[in-house]
Amino acid sequence: MVLDPLDVLTNLEKVIPYYQAIFSADEQRVVGYEVLGRIQVNHDVESLGFFFHDENIPDEYRIEVDDYILHKALNEFIDLNDSEILLFINRDANLLMLDHGESFLESLLEKKEDGLNLNQLVLEITEHNFLGDMEQLYHLLTYYRTYGIKIAIDNIGKSSSNLDRIGLLSPDILKIDLHPLRLTSPLQSYYDVLYSISLLARKIGATLLYEDVEVNFQLQYAWKNGGRYYQGYYLDKPKREFTQRDASKIRLKHEFQRFISTEKKKLENLYNFTEQFHKRIQQSLLKHDKENDNYELLLNKLSVDLDDCCFRIYICDEDGFQQSVNIFKKDNWIVQPEYHMKNWSWRPYFLANIIKMRYEKKGFLSDVYSDIETGELIRTFSYPLNHNHYLFVDLSYEYLFEEEGLL
């Protein structure tokens, strides 16, 4: 049913708050509720998302409906009388800044006299929709924090979020949208952005909340990628009442146990593969011991031994300067002399990995990453040749795909 904005304004008494539960990984129970606007139309309940996102509707009308929902929700939250739960409140940052956030704070302070604990409130804003002065918004949010109000940035991953601006606002919670994971084949860039967001969250001390969890594999992805909180239809649909905190505890505990078992098996496979590949490199080097001082000849020999699994082999010193040519496989193996003496120490973790090999005196397998030249997902196996030189073997996507648990 298509509603007209006037239907909302003239039937304000039919506007009601709905609550969608947010679950925690550490306790497998409800940790908070997000307030969502709904309106009763005959025997149906319709979302008010269209109303709040329509910029053609005058600001004062949207604020009026928002405040009406907030008033009801705060009263019901006070009656819930649970000091451990959080209430997530959405606000359009552009509307919030019309009076520099004063009316919103006044509404909260009024309810404080009725027993509302502001430490249990989380203000949700969408950073990429904000058109005003970011410094002023930062100062307002900082002011809100003095009252104990927490800040969440919403819809990260859905649109072009600016990580610098998010870092400036320094939110307590980052809400990552997982809807793109429902696509048949999300672009690798999407996963790269989520990884960057998880690094930012760790740096600024923010908690990750994955939203729009609609199927099991999204929950597993969120669990594996640093998510402490989860929200979505797969876990709980919005309701008029507050979901019981332990309603899904047994189910979530079972799901997380399955994730743990799967991840442990994958890590065991990685460990076993690493041990076996280390022995394979070791044996190959022993076989070509006479060529160990002639790196180009050695790499040509290794390319024959490793033809089934890799597409690039080279040798660097401990400072990252390449001591050999590249041996690179297209249709056939070719020599790339232009790579000799290039430096790779700028790459993330390069020097840390060198030190790791120096002290542990054994090879190891990198994480999956996108190769700069080919754009394919690969892993690199690194191996200490001697006290100063290290062998790098880039494993192809095709090989990783065939091996269990390597992608």
Side-chain angles (χ1 to χ4, degrees):
M1 179 178 180
V2 179
L3 286 175
D4 187 277
L6 282 175
D7 293 332
V8 178
L9 293 166
T10 56
N11 292 280
L12 202 56
E13 73 283 355
K14 295 182 179 179
V15 170
I16 50 176
Y18 261 51
Y19 304 101
Q20 187 171 25
I22 296 166
F23 297 83
S24 74
D26 41 0
E27 296 184 31
Q28 305 96 53
R29 66 197 306 234
V30 175
V31 73
Y33 306 96
E34 180 179 359
V35 180
L36 302 171
R38 298 288 189 266
I39 185 170
Q40 293 174 325
V41 182
N42 298 323
H43 299 293
D44 297 322
V45 176
E46 302 287 341
S47 170
L48 286 176
F50 80 95
F51 182 86
F52 294 120
H53 296 139
D54 187 349
E55 295 183 1
N56 293 318
I57 299 174
D59 294 342
E60 60 269 24
Y61 294 159
R62 287 189 286 160
I63 292 171
E64 180 183 359
V65 176
D66 230 348
D67 287 347
Y68 185 84
I69 294 169
L70 177 63
H71 176 78
K72 279 193 169 185
L74 291 179
N75 285 339
E76 292 172 357
F77 186 66
I78 293 169
D79 292 340
L80 182 64
N81 194 28
D82 187 336
S83 62
E84 296 182 349
I85 210 76
L86 298 172
L87 189 70
F88 288 68
I89 303 166
N90 286 286
R91 271 295 184 271
D92 184 319
N94 295 299
L95 299 183
L96 196 66
M97 290 298 293
L98 289 178
D99 67 348
H100 302 285
E102 290 181 10
S103 60
F104 175 70
L105 182 59
E106 286 174 7
S107 298
L108 301 183
L109 293 176
E110 286 175 8
K111 296 299 179 183
K112 186 177 180 182
E113 297 176 2
D114 297 329
L116 178 66
N117 184 352
L118 270 57
N119 287 296
Q120 293 179 254
L121 301 183
V122 181
L123 170 63
E124 282 191 35
I125 62 169
T126 303
E127 166 272 330
H128 61 256
N129 287 343
F130 182 60
L131 304 175
D133 187 319
M134 189 58 65
E135 287 283 346
Q136 290 187 16
L137 180 60
Y138 165 74
H139 289 306
L140 174 63
L141 299 183
T142 301
Y143 180 57
Y144 282 169
R145 281 198 180 93
T146 64
Y147 288 92
I149 301 168
K150 298 173 181 61
I151 306 300
I153 302 295
D154 194 13
N155 283 336
I156 297 177
K158 182 174 286 186
S159 297
S160 53
S161 299
N162 186 316
L163 297 187
D164 289 338
R165 285 172 30 136
I166 293 172
L168 171 66
L169 297 177
S170 193
D172 303 282
I173 298 170
L174 295 178
K175 294 190 71 174
I176 299 178
D177 174 53
L178 285 181
H179 181 72
L181 278 187
R182 293 297 303 274
L183 300 176
T184 304
S185 54
L187 296 174
Q188 179 59 33
S189 58
Y190 171 73
Y191 294 102
D192 294 339
V193 168
L194 293 193
Y195 179 68
S196 299
I197 293 169
S198 68
L199 292 180
L200 174 64
R202 184 177 179 184
K203 184 176 180 180
I204 65 177
T207 295
L208 289 181
L209 191 168
Y210 285 90
E211 59 181 336
D212 288 328
V213 177
E214 298 177 350
V215 287
N216 175 270
F217 78 85
Q218 289 177 313
L219 179 62
Q220 184 170 12
Y221 180 89
W223 171 86
K224 185 180 175 181
N225 289 274
R228 183 182 183 186
Y229 298 150
Y230 318 107
Q231 179 184 20
Y233 276 37
Y234 180 71
L235 301 166
D236 193 52
K237 293 182 179 179
K239 298 184 178 74
R240 180 66 188 93
E241 69 280 358
F242 295 105
T243 298
Q244 291 294 317
R245 294 194 64 190
D246 289 327
S248 298
K249 189 174 180 69
I250 295 174
R251 172 194 167 196
L252 283 177
K253 190 173 182 180
H254 174 75
E255 297 236 30
F256 290 154
Q257 191 59 57
R258 194 160 51 81
F259 297 162
I260 291 166
S261 298
T262 300
E263 192 63 18
K264 284 170 67 177
K265 182 179 179 182
K266 184 176 181 180
L267 291 171
E268 287 170 359
N269 287 340
L270 280 174
Y271 178 82
N272 291 330
F273 174 85
T274 301
E275 291 293 305
Q276 292 167 9
F277 204 82
H278 177 91
K279 291 176 182 177
R280 181 176 176 179
I281 297 290
Q282 196 173 47
Q283 291 169 359
S284 189
L285 289 171
L286 286 172
K287 184 170 67 173
H288 306 302
D289 184 53
K290 292 180 181 178
E291 288 84 25
N292 280 358
D293 292 331
N294 184 335
Y295 283 162
E296 186 171 339
L297 181 58
L298 174 62
L299 294 182
N300 275 303
K301 297 281 188 181
L302 290 176
S303 70
V304 176
D305 294 346
L306 305 174
D307 185 70
D308 64 305
C309 61
C310 75
F311 69 95
R312 185 192 291 121
I313 317 174
Y314 57 99
I315 295 167
C316 290
D317 66 15
E318 65 174 19
D319 292 330
F321 288 96
Q322 191 160 324
Q323 300 299 303
S324 71
V325 297
N326 266 8
I327 303 293
F328 184 81
K329 184 179 182 181
K330 288 187 177 179
D331 296 325
N332 299 303
W333 288 95
I334 61 171
V335 174
Q336 297 176 316
E338 65 271 21
Y339 285 88
H340 182 245
M341 291 309 293
K342 286 200 172 185
N343 186 272
W344 306 111
S345 61
W346 55 268
R347 285 180 166 173
Y349 312 114
F350 184 93
L351 294 178
N353 292 340
I354 291 291
I355 299 301
K356 180 179 180 180
M357 284 190 286
R358 182 205 289 175
Y359 282 96
E360 295 184 2
K361 294 181 171 53
K362 62 186 299 186
F364 73 96
L365 193 65
S366 76
D367 292 335
V368 177
Y369 66 96
S370 294
D371 183 62
I372 293 175
E373 292 186 11
T374 68
E376 290 191 340
L377 296 178
I378 69 167
R379 287 182 186 264
T380 297
F381 190 86
S382 310
Y383 184 94
L385 277 179
N386 51 50
H387 69 284
N388 189 41
H389 290 172
Y390 301 85
L391 176 71
F392 295 89
V393 179
D394 288 342
L395 304 180
S396 67
Y397 175 85
E398 291 81 5
Y399 179 73
L400 298 178
F401 183 80
E402 294 296 329
E403 293 287 323
E404 184 180 358
L406 291 190
L407 277 178

